Amino acid sequence: MNHSIHSADRGTHMKIVVVALVAGIAVAAFGIAARTNADYSQTAQSTHVIKAGKPVVVTSAGTSEIR
């Protein structure tokens, strides 16, 4: 077994290239499969507009206040 990429023979280099190629294809296939399952098809009739409400201030002093 070669422990350095500089002293590796042609077979070892080929194994590294093949493993990297297979890993790249697997990542690309996973990304394509994840994207095709999502529903991004919005039309002008199905868009939902969310309007901002009144401003709210949230604070926390760590103690509970009883009124």
Side-chain angles (χ1 to χ4, degrees):
M1 175 180 256
N2 296 315
H3 295 286
S4 173
I5 193 72
H6 296 291
S7 65
D9 58 353
R10 176 176 237 152
T12 303
H13 283 287
M14 200 56 131
K15 288 177 189 175
I16 291 170
V17 169
V18 168
V19 168
L21 184 63
V22 169
I25 291 171
V27 168
F30 177 75
I32 291 170
R35 186 172 186 271
T36 57
N37 288 340
D39 184 23
Y40 296 115
S41 60
Q42 286 189 351
T43 62
Q45 291 85 15
S46 67
T47 57
H48 301 288
V49 177
I50 300 173
K51 295 184 179 181
K54 294 181 181 179
V56 177
V57 178
V58 178
T59 60
S60 175
T63 60
S64 58
E65 183 178 328
I66 302 173
R67 292 185 183 198

